[in-house]
Structures are given as structure tokens and as C-alpha cells.
């Protein structure tokens, strides 16, 4: 087991501006077996310049690993303006002890990310596999597609203990998203497959969905006028109304929406 | 200016009858010359193939429709990201690259001339703005002139003289190169969400596509333009359309060419060579088309070959793009242009698992291999409709290697053995034939060979491609690699690509035709008709319509008609 | 007095090109054919007189050279500079601006991100069946304004392009057309309409979803009232749309900037697309500033993406929500800014303006504004379409060339940016 700690240096965010640092490429796959000195030499983007990782972060390494599965990266300090943490990771584990910036776990296909605080927009964007757990809140576009693409998340699992923003699971076609709290507008927008469960309230859930299952246990604001009521069912111990839609999309709409 | 001596290359220069001879090419002041001084920079091309710069006779690279394609597809944009270098601007895109990437990537493949084939006249300025930003290569654009209300009216009254006057005015106003025709009549009908077959009258205009095509061919020859009419026929992409295609070719059989060339260039013919009556019995009729082309002198074709993979389809043929959208359910853009034309765009995945796509893939290559005379065929994918131009090396390697074709045919839908002809074809193109279809033929068809393009004779533009590969090489992978990244590309006497990297980015020139129509009485009548159109129906004024010289900072003007 | 005809008006996305301007003694004296706002723009008003540099609390006059040098130092030093504005200048300026952003590794964005950016995002989701304005003039028998009020915002739109104008197939003008207005309030445009449909604020998405369900054959699921509109009104509207010969929806910021933003537009576009099962239809955004469209065009062909382009790594990363001006400002990501031909201090949320005031700020503009007041460097420029020529794209993407009517001592936006670029290249050792 190799445990790598990245502690962000205070000077990074001490100016008037908070220019984000971007940590794509700093994944268990990339760091596996590397020494602290080697890791410090890695280049990361900070605004329009590349800097040595060691100049922006205090780097510690304990133990060693043969394969990425046995690598754990622990992020310490305020990561709210650190973007792309765990982007594209395939294996191993990343723990962020604070809030984390945008694109955390984007395009990940394996491994596990645990965020102890809140996550910025596009967490788990285009996720293919693995697990992303956010103990705080998630911002907009959780598990969503990139602009213009036909599909978003296709596999893996995202769990949010708090609430989430707008467009949860935009164009989702596989995998699972579970949010214990409330969400913003249009959760499951255009979803074609997979499963999204929302513990709290939701606004206009399931817009333009043509497949998959979307469960809202809290209150629905702006229930869309283009769903067909199909009776009541019990889902995860809660009695809910079952709807088919979104019939705005015409005959191809095969989505299932459960709501109170 | 600098002198260059390209030594010991194996040269393929079809227009000058050079078929793989070891010879030197001398360059001075941007032109090919007899000899150079001992001061000349020497490029050692031993072990390499040397050809004139490639000429793409039909590629959608610039203008409102192409840009709408880029805007529609940020997901395509992020596929081709390349950072700014000391020489090059930032690049993006795969099937719809930004203008900089277009210039660089073509230059890397040894291409030095591009013809944008679908300029909506009202948006001509936009196309020129993008051509200005397309580095290295020379280029030109053809205005769409077949669904214009003026054309429809003159075609209906059979007034070829006024039509010729109108065409002359439009080519000058748009700084265009020739007469482009796209689904004549059908695009106007699309203004009402309708379409037109070859003999159907256009709604409200009471003229048929066949009459439009004939009138435009006559007017084109009346003006003695360097290029013939450039035709995207009716019924593109529909099962059984090959009969319409052949009927269309027959329309101009009797039209007398004004120059030593075809009277009709039929474009992206792959999309027009379909048999069957529905998608279930869809089949190749490439053999029928090839037979016709070999037996007649008045028609030339380009392939519009399909390469398997994701791309963006775009054409002025609005109804066709809508039908394609209905098939895929993907996103769809349409833009109709007042009094003139239209356009549609939708992304498309050509999949070897899909029977129809597999047959389409076969047909493009069948046309290249079944037409016996390579001087009648131009190699294109109708970029990006059949596939992005960056796939040309794949296409060429398939045409040159039966072995590679057989490998791929094993992977694709088995329908290829029943409803396509490719499995029965043994022919492999050689380097000379490739040079003909990518240099000699396109230059001659467009009339550019008289202006220094497509050959390496003395006086020609010093546009040269040097590929690091032996003419004996038969390995498809090696052919593909050599063609994708030229060892050298020389543009106007300047080395722009070295070892597959862009090393210099001169601005290319824009070619346009300055054509005069000489009968003043007819000219005046046409102008009065035109003024009425602008006053009452266009939403821009006549004074603001013609493209100003500011948009063509590096012009090359070809005179035609009475201006010649 | 010499009259210049066919002048293109540099005010709004209509780019009216039939304006007549009388010029005498190198000054515009009279403007005819323009709407009131356009006329005022061409006649001109209080200009910035000189380049300005901030010294403490004061902006002091300086030379162009000093201002440009200081601006270059600010931008070259920045780790995440923002280059914003661009909608009231010509495409020739945009080209230099994008190159500058590339050289700087900056974020470049135009005002679309606070007006029709959602439209662009919607197009990237579903596409856009549209047309040029002349198609509407000549063919449309059903004209719908949704969340748009052309009578007040685009003064000549109805006369020149959409409703009142006569066309080839509509020789009687408005008698040959039906006008429908959908809005949250009865605007002056709504008062002209054959049918006005009042939607509760922020319920457009629901109303559009209901219309789509009706058009696609599922009227049975639609409840009796949606967003304050009775179902029978929606059924009636759907029928009108299906039976029109050529219909058009023009939409404005009432749709792009209300709740469900770009999804309102996606639904509206999808509705138009669905209507193709029955008839011909088109949809078009009512773009505001005269060349907001032009920037999106240039930025797309040069970078591959229309706005909100982050060039930090030397290649483009496009992600509105992250890389638009208001995003990088509200998150305090940018550490310097260049604002060209725009006034974000007057239009952006307070938190964004607060950050803008804190970071080094360079402004290029012909006029003083709340933004120039908080700037560190102010560089006055010529007014495009009056003192400088160049290209602009109309709301339907038809490009026109703006004219130069009078001479000026001010540098053009393009010239200023070229000099600025030269200085930056010098500082970076690239020239
Ligand atoms: Zn084409």
C-alpha cells in the first residue's frame, strides 16, 4: 500500500484572485511506485503556466505499491479551487479531506474517490465506472455529459450525502446516482438509461428523458405536463406515483419517473 | 528569391506524362524552372516519391455552413485539440476542424489547393473571411446558383443569355470560381418542406430540375468559364437513385463544351450510385455509373467516398439532411438562405456493422476502381460528408492494396458479399493513378492546370509534395503513414512542412474568376430584374451585397468570358 | 449636403442596411431610416477624450503609447487573464483579440454569455432549424415572438424583416400573416398580436413541453392548465403551428434568461423540429448588440468554439459554466482583465463587478462607462460603423461590411489591439 499526501501550500491562494490549480494526470495510475521526489517534479497547470507539483503542494509518500489499486492519494488543505482531481482515474483511491473544485472524478473508469466536503460542478462528468462519494453537497452537472455529446455517464456509482445542483445525470445512459438531499432543476435531463435516486425535493425532474429510471422521494416543483400517470408503486419502501415520459419527446419516450 | 533543387526523387507528374521517373525539380521565385544556380538549397528526395501539390476539387472547409457544423459539435472540436506552437495557431476538431487546422493538416498531407464547393452567395463574405484564415493552401469557392429565384425564372423562360449575364454578375459579386448546383429545385421546394425529383416542377416556379440543369450548363459554356457546372444531383442518398443520376448525365450530352473539358462535373457520386427500392434491398450500382462515365466524354466525377467512423454531414441539400436526421435522431441544423439556397447539417456515424453504411463504404472505392480512365475521377470524401479529409491516406491505401481491402471486408457487415461489388474487384491503383486522381484530374477539371496547379512543368507553381516511401512499397500501413505526414510540402517555393511538421505558414491565395458578359442590352435587362429582386425581396441592399476587395487580400484572378 | 446611402446601422442585431446619413465637415449631421436608438448611436455622444492611467483614486490622461505599454504589462504578467466584451466591435478586432488571448493563455468570452449564450448551448444539444430573415419576409404566414419585444428592442425588425413587410409569397404584408406573442407581460409587441398568450414567469419550459406533447400526439396527458395557460389555448396554438405554411419563432432574453435557461431554448428548438412532421418552420434568436453574432462566428472558426474559450494551455477548452466571464469573475479565478467594447460593470452581478474592481483592469471603448470608472487603463477607440469600417454579422448570420463615414483621430479597436499584441510579444520575448 502506497499512501501519497498532497497538502496544498497556503501561498497558492493568498492573492486577490484564486487561480485554480488543475490536477489532471495526478492519479493513482500515474503516481504508482513513484518516490516523493519524483512526484514533486511532475508538472501541473496553474492558470496559463505549468508548475512543479512540489512547488504548490507538500508531498509525502508512505509505503510502496506495485499496482495502482494499492495507491491512495490523500488531499489535505483547501481544494475548493483545485480542479480535475481524479480526472480519468482507472484504479486506486483518492480522498479529499475538504471541498473540491470542478471536474472531480470526470471520466473516471475505476477506483474510488471520497470527497469529505462539497464538490464543484461536473463531478463525475462522463463517468464510465468506479465510485464517487461526496459527503457534502454537489454543485451543478453531477455525473453529466460534456457539451454536445450524445451520452453522459455510462457506468459506475455516485453517492451524495448532501444536496446537488442542476442537471444531475444529464444524458445519463448507465450507472447509478444516489442523492440523499434535494436537487435543482432538471435532474435526469435527457437521460436514456441508468438509475437516479433523489431523497429530497426536485424541480422539473426527468425533462426530455427517454429511458432509465428516476426516483424522487421529496416534493416535486414544476412537475412536467408531458408525463403519463401509470399508477402507484412502492420504491425502496416509499409509496410513489409512477409516470412514463417524457412524452414531449414523442413515441420514443420510455423513461420511468417515480414521484410523490 | 530563394532557389530550391529537389534531387533524386521519383517523380509522378501526370499532366506532363511523368510516370515515376527519377528526376530533379528546380524551383525559383515560387515557380518550377528549367534550372537553378549552385546557390540553390538542395532537398535530397532520394528514396522518396515526388508529386505536384494535391488539389482537392470538392471539400467543405469554409463558410456559414461549415461554421454552423463546428458550432453544433463542441464534442467534435475537443477531438482534435493541438496547442499553439511557435509556428502554428491552436487547433481543434476532427470532422469540423477550425480553419487553422484545416490549412495545416492539408499541407501535412501534401495538398496545396482546396475548392470550397458550396458558398451561399448571400454569405459569400463569410466564406472569404474563413478562407483568409485558412493558412498555407491556395483556395477558391463556388457560389450556389441553381435554386436562385432569378435562375428559376430564366430557366423557365429558357433565357440562357440573361441567365449567363446573371451568373456572370453573381460570380463577380461573390468573388467565386464557378457554378455550383445542389439539388436543383429541391432546395427551393424545401422552403415549403418539400422536395423535387428531376422532372417535378418546382412549387410556384413551374420549372423542372432537368430544365434548370440544362439551362445552367448552356449558360456556363456561353461564358466559357474555366470549370464546367459542378453538380450535386437530385435524390442524393436515396435507394434506387442511380437511374436519376444517369438521366441527369444524359441531359447535357448535347451541350457543346466551350473549352477542352467536360460540360458537367458530377460530385460525390458515391451518394448517387444506389440501387434497390428501399433500405432493405439497397445495393451498389457503381458498375452502371462507371460504365456510363467510361463511355461518355462530357461527364467527370468525384468519389465522395465513405470512410467508416463518425463525421459531420453538411450540404445545401436541406431535405436530404432532414431525412438523415430522421434516420439517426441526432441533432440537426438547417439554414435556408433567402432567394438563393439552403443548408442542413447532422452528425453521422458510418458503421461497418450497418448493412447500408457498409455498402456505401464499398461504393466509393468501387467507383475509383471500376472507372477505367483515372482522368475522369477525382479522389474525394466530399469532406466531411463521407469522412473527414484527414482519412484520405486510409482511402488511398485501401485503393492501392487489395490485401488491406480484404482484411477490412472481413470485419464489416456480410452484406458486402451480396449487394456490393468490391469483393469482386482485383484492381489496385498504382502511384501514377493516385497522382492522376489527386493532382492531374482535379486540376484539369477545374481548369487550374492552365494556372500552374496540379503539375510540375516549367512555369507551374512550385507546389510540391515529397513522401518518404518507395514506389515499390505495397504495405498499406506504410502507404498511409507516408501520405498523412509528408516528408516535405513545398508551397509556392517555400518549405511549409518538413518531416511531417508544419514549419512555415504563408497565407494562401484566393482564386476567383472575373467574367464579363458582353451584350449590353441583355445585361441591362438582367440588371433591372436584379434591382427589383433586391428592392422588393432581399433583406440587404444591392449596394451592400458584392464582396469587397478587403476580403480577398491575396487574389489570383482568372479572366473569363468577354474579359478573357 | 453629401448623403451616404445604404449605411449599415451599428446598433442591434438587425443591422439595417438602408440608412441614409448626411455628412458635413467631417461630422454626421442627419440620420434617416434608422430607429431612434440607432440614430442616436450614429449621431454620437459624449466620448472619452484621451487614454487614461490610474494613479491612486484618479484616472489621469496619458498617451496611447503609455496606456498600451501599461496594458501589455498587466496582461502579460497575469496567470489567468480574462478578455471580455467584443459585441460592439467588428470581426477584424475579434481576430486580433483571439490571437492575443492565445498568446496570453487567457480566457476569451463575449457578451453572449449573459444574453444568448444559452441559445448556443441549446444548439449544441439539438441543432437549429433556422433561416435568413428574407425567408421570413417572403414566406412566413405565422410569426411568433416568444419572450421578445421587437417594438422596443429591435425597432425596425417588424418593418424590414418579419411582420409588416411585404414579400414574394406575402404580397399583402401583415394581412397575409398571423402574429402570436408569448410573454410574461403584455408588451407593446403583444398589443399588436392576433393572439397573445401570457405565461407565468419562469414556466416557459413547461409550456413548451406541453406544446411538444400535443404536437407529438400526446395531448391526453397534458393537464388543464400549464404555466397559467389553459390547455385549450395550447391546443389551439399547436394547431395553428401545424397548419401554417411557413412558421417562425423569434425568441428573446425573456426565454434565454428566465428559469430553465438553455433548456427553454432546447425545448423551443425541438418543438420546431417536431413541427417538420407537418410543415415548414424555423426559429431564430433576437440577438442584441450588432455584432454579438460576429464574435461567435469568428471565435468558432478560429478556435472551434463560439465563446467562453479558455486558452490557458495553448489549446481551447470550452465549458460555459466554468469558462464564461461571469464564471471566472464570480469564482475570483481571473487575476487581470481586458474589456473591449462592453460595459460589464453596468450589467454583471455585484460579486463579479467587485472582483473586476479589485484586479488590474484594461478597458478599450469609445465611451466612458461604469466599467471605465473602475479601470486601471482606459484606451479610447474609434466608433465602428461611423469612424471605422469592418465586418459584422446580422442576427441571421448574414455578414455585412460597416462603413467609415467620417475621419477620426482615435485609433480603431483593431489598431489598438495590434499594438497591444506587439507589446505583449515583446515582453514575452516572442518578437
Ligand atoms: Zn459536397
Amino acid at each position: 500500500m502506497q499512501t501519497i499526501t498532497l497538502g496544498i501550500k497556503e501561498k497558492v491562494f493568498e492573492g486577490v484572485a484564486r487561480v485554480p490549480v488543475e490536477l489532471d494526470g495526478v492519479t493513482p495510475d500515474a503516481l504508482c511506485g513513484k518516490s516523493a521526489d519524483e512526484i514533486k517534479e511532475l508538472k501541473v497547470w496553474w492558470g496559463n503556466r505549468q508548475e512543479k507539483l512540489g512547488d504548490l503542494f507538500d508531498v509525502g509518500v508512505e509505503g510502496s505499491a506495485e499496482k495502482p489499486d494499492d495507491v491512495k492519494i490523500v488531499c489535505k488543505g483547501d481544494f475548493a479551487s483545485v480542479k480535475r482531481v481524479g480526472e480519468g482515474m482507472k484504479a486506486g483511491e483518492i480522498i479529499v479531506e475538504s471541498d473540491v473544485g470542478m471536474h472531480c472524478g470526470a471520466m473516471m473508469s475505476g477506483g474510488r474517490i471520497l470527497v469529505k466536503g462539497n464538490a464543484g460542478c461536473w463531478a463525475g462528468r462522463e463517468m464510465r465506472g468506479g465510485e464517487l462519494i461526496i459527503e457534502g453537497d454537489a454543485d451543478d452537472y453531477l455525473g453529466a455529459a460534456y457539451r454536445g455529446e450524445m451520452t453522459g455517464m455510462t457506468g459506475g456509482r455516485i453517492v451524495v450525502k448532501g444536496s446537488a445542483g442542476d442537471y444531475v445525470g444529464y444524458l445519463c445512459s448507465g450507472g447509478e446516482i444516489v442523492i440523499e438531499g434535494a436537487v435543482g432543476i432538471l435532474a435526469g435531463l435527457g437521460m436514456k438509461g441508468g438509475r437516479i435516486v433523489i431523497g429530497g425535493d426536485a424541480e422539473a425532474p426527468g425533462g426530455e428523458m427517454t429511458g432509465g429510471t428516476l426516483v424522487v422521494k421529496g416534493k416535486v416543483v414544476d412537475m412536467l405536463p408531458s408525463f403519463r400517470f401509470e399508477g402507484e408503486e412502492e420504491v425502496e419502501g416509499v409509496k410513489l406515483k409512477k409516470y412514463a415520459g417524457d412524452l414531449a419527446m414523442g413515441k420514443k419516450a420510455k423513461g420511468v419517473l417515480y414521484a410523490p | 528569391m530563394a532557389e530550391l533543387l529537389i534531387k533524386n526523387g521519383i517523380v509522378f507528374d501526370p499532366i506532363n506524362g511523368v510516370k515515376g521517373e527519377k528526376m530533379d525539380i528546380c524551383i525559383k521565385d515560387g515557380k518550377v524552372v528549367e534550372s537553378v544556380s549552385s546557390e540553390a538549397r538542395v532537398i535530397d528526395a532520394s528514396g522518396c516519391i515526388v508529386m505536384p501539390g494535391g488539389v482537392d476539387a470538392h471539400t467543405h472547409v469554409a463558410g456559414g455552413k461549415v461554421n454552423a457544423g463546428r458550432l453544433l459539435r463542441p464534442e467534435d472540436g475537443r477531438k482534435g485539440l493541438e496547442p499553439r506552437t511557435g509556428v502554428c495557431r491552436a487547433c481543434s476538431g476532427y470532422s469540423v476542424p477550425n480553419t487553422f487546422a484545416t490549412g495545416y493538416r492539408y499541407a501535412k498531407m501534401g495538398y496545396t489547393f482546396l475548392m470550397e464547393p458550396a458558398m451561399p452567395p448571400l454569405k459569400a463574405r463569410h466564406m472569404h473571411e474563413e478562407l483568409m484564415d485558412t493558412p498555407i493552401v491556395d483556395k477558391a469557392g463556388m457560389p450556389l446558383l441553381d435554386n436562385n429565384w432569378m435562375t428559376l425564372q430564366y430557366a423557365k423562360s429558357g433565357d440562357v443569355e440573361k441567365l449567363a449575364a446573371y451568373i456572370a454578375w453573381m460570380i463577380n459579386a461573390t468573388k467565386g470560381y464557378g457554378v455550383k448546383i445542389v439539388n436543383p429545385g429541391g432546395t427551393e421546394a424545401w422552403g415549403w418542406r418539400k422536395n423535387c425529383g428531376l422532372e417535378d416542377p418546382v412549387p410556384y416556379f413551374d420549372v423542372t430540375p432537368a430544365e434548370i440543369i440544362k439551362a445552367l450548363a448552356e449558360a456556363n459554356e456561353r461564358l466559357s468559364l474555366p470549370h464546367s457546372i459542378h453538380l450535386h444531383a437530385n435524390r442524393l442518398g436515396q435507394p434506387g437513385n442511380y437511374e436519376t443520376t444517369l438521366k441527369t448525365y444524359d441531359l447535357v450530352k448535347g451541350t457543346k463544351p466551350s473549352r477542352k473539358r467536360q460540360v458537367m462535373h458530377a460530385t460525390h457520386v458515391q451518394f448517387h450510385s444506389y440501387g434497390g427500392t428501399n433500405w432493405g434491398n439497397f445495393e451498389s450500382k457503381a458498375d452502371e455509373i462507371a460504365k456510363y462515365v467510361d463511355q461518355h466524354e462530357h461527364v467527370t466525377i468525384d468519389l465522395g467516398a465513405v470512410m467508416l467512423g463518425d463525421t459531420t454531414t453538411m450540404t445545401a441539400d436541406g431535405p436530404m439532411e432532414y431525412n438523415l436526421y430522421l434516420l439517426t435522431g441526432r441533432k440537426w441544423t438547417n439554414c435556408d438562405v433567402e432567394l438563393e439556397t439552403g443548408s442542413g447539417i447532422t452528425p453521422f456515424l458510418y458503421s461497418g456493422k450497418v448493412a447500408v453504411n457498409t455498402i456505401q463504404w464499398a461504393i466509393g472505392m468501387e467507383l475509383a476502381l471500376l472507372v477505367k480512365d483515372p482522368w475522369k475521377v477525382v479522389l474525394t470524401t466530399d469532406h466531411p460528408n463521407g469522412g473527414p479529409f484527414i482519412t484520405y491516406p486510409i482511402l488511398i491505401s485501401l485503393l492501392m492494396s487489395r490485401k488491406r481491402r480484404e482484411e477490412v471486408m472481413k470485419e464489416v457487415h456480410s452484406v458486402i458479399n451480396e449487394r456490393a461489388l468490391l469483393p469482386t474487384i482485383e484492381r489496385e491503383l498504382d502511384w501514377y493513378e493516385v497522382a492522376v486522381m489527386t493532382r492531374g484530374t482535379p486540376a484539369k477539371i477545374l481548369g487550374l492546370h492552365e494556372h500552374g496547379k496540379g503539375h510540375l512543368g516549367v512555369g507551374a507553381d512550385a507546389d510540391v509534395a515529397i513522401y518518404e516511401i518507395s514506389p515499390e512499397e505495397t504495405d498499406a500501413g506504410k502507404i498511409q503513414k507516408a501520405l498523412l505526414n509528408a516528408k516535405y510540402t513545398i508551397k509556392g517555393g517555400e518549405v511549409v512542412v518538413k518531416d511531417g511538421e508544419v514549419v512555415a505558414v504563408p497565407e494562401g491565395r484566393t482564386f476567383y474568376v472575373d467574367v464579363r458578359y458582353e451584350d449590353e442590352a441583355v445585361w441591362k435587362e438582367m440588371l433591372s430584374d436584379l434591382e427589383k429582386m433586391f428592392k422588393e425581396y432581399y433583406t440587404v441592399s444591392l449596394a451592400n451585397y458584392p464582396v469587397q476587395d478587403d476580403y480577398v487580400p491575396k487574389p489570383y484572378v482568372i479572366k473569363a468570358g468577354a474579359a478573357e | 449636403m453629401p448623403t451616404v446611402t445604404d449605411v449599415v446601422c451599428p446598433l442591434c442585431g438587425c443591422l439595417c442596411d438602408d440608412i441614409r446619413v448626411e455628412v458635413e465637415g467631417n461630422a454626421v449631421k442627419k440620420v434617416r431610416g434608422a430607429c431612434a436608438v440607432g440614430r442616436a448611436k450614429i449621431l454620437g455622444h459624449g466620448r472619452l477624450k484621451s487614454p487614461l492611467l490610474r494613479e491612486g483614486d484618479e484616472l489621469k490622461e496619458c498617451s496611447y503609447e503609455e496606456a498600451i505599454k501599461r496594458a501589455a504589462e498587466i496582461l502579460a504578467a497575469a496567470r489567468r487573464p480574462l478578455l471580455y466584451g467584443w459585441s460592439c466591435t467588428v470581426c477584424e478586432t475579434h481576430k486580433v483579440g483571439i490571437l492575443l488571448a492565445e498568446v496570453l493563455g487567457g480566457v476569451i468570452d463575449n457578451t453572449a454569455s449573459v444574453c444568448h449564450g444559452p441559445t448556443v448551448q441549446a444548439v449544441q444539444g439539438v441543432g437549429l432549424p433556422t433561416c435568413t430573415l428574407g425567408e421570413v419576409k417572403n414566406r412566413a404566414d405565422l410569426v411568433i415572438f416568444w419572450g421578445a419585444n421587437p417594438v422596443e428592442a429591435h425597432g425596425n425588425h417588424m418593418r424590414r424583416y418579419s411582420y409588416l413587410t411585404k414579400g414574394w409569397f406575402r404580397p399583402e404584408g401583415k394581412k397575409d400573416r398571423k402574429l402570436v406573442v408569448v410573454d410574461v407581460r403584455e408588451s407593446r409587441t403583444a398589443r399588436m398580436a392576433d393572439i397573445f398568450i401570457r405565461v407565468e414567469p419562469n414556466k416557459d419550459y413547461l409550456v413548451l413541453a406541453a406544446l411538444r406533447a400535443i404536437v407529438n400526439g400526446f395531448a391526453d396527458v397534458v393537464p388543464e392548465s400549464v404555466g397559467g395557460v389553459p390547455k385549450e389555448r395550447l391546443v389551439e396554438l399547436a394547431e395553428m403551428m401545424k397548419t401554417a405554411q411557413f412558421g417562425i419563432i423569434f425568441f428573446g432574453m425573456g426565454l434565454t434568461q428566465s428559469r430553465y435557461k438553455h433548456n427553454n431554448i432546447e425545448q423551443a428548438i425541438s418543438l420546431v423540429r417536431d413541427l417538420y412532421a407537418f410543415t415548414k418552420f424555423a426559429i431564430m434568436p433576437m440577438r442584441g448588440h450588432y455584432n454579438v453574432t460576429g464574435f461567435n462566428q469568428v471565435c468558432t472558426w478560429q478556435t472551434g468554439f463560439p465563446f467562453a474559450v479558455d486558452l490557458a494551455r495553448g489549446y481551447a477548452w470550452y465549458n460555459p459554466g466554468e469558462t464564461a466571464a461571469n464564471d471566472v469573475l464570480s469564482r475570483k479565478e481571473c487575476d487581470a482583465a481586458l474589456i473591449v467594447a462592453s460595459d460589464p460593470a453596468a450589467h454583471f452581478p455585484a460579486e463579479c463587478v467587485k472582483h473586476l474592481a479589485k484586479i488590474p483592469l484594461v478597458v478599450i471603448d469609445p465611451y466612458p462607462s461604469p466599467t471605465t470608472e473602475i479601470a486601471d487603463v482606459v484606451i479610447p477607440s474609434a466608433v465602428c460603423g461611423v469612424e471605422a469600417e469592418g465586418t459584422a454579422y446580422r442576427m441571421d448570420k448574414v455578414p455585412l461590411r460597416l462603413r467609415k463615414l467620417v475621419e477620426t483621430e482615435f485609433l480603431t479597436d483593431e489598431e489598438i489591439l495590434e499594438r497591444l499584441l506587439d507589446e505583449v510579444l515583446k515582453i514575452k520575448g516572442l518578437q
Side-chain angles (χ1 to χ4, degrees), chain B residues 492-508:
Chain B
E494 183 176 2
V495 174
V496 291
V497 172
K498 186 167 184 289
D499 298 324
E501 295 295 328
V502 174
V503 293
V505 287
E507 288 172 53

Side-chain angles (χ1 to χ4, degrees), chain B residues 58-60 65 116-118 180 182 230 232 236 267-268 271 302 304 314-316 380-385:
Chain B
H58 189 112
T59 176
H60 300 266
K65 170 170 45 62
E116 159 58 51
K180 179 65 185 302
V182 173
H230 193 111
H232 158 148
L236 182 147
T267 189
H268 41 64
F271 291 111
D302 66 78
M314 52 177 68
T315 153
T380 68
T381 58
D382 186 19
H383 163 82
N385 287 303

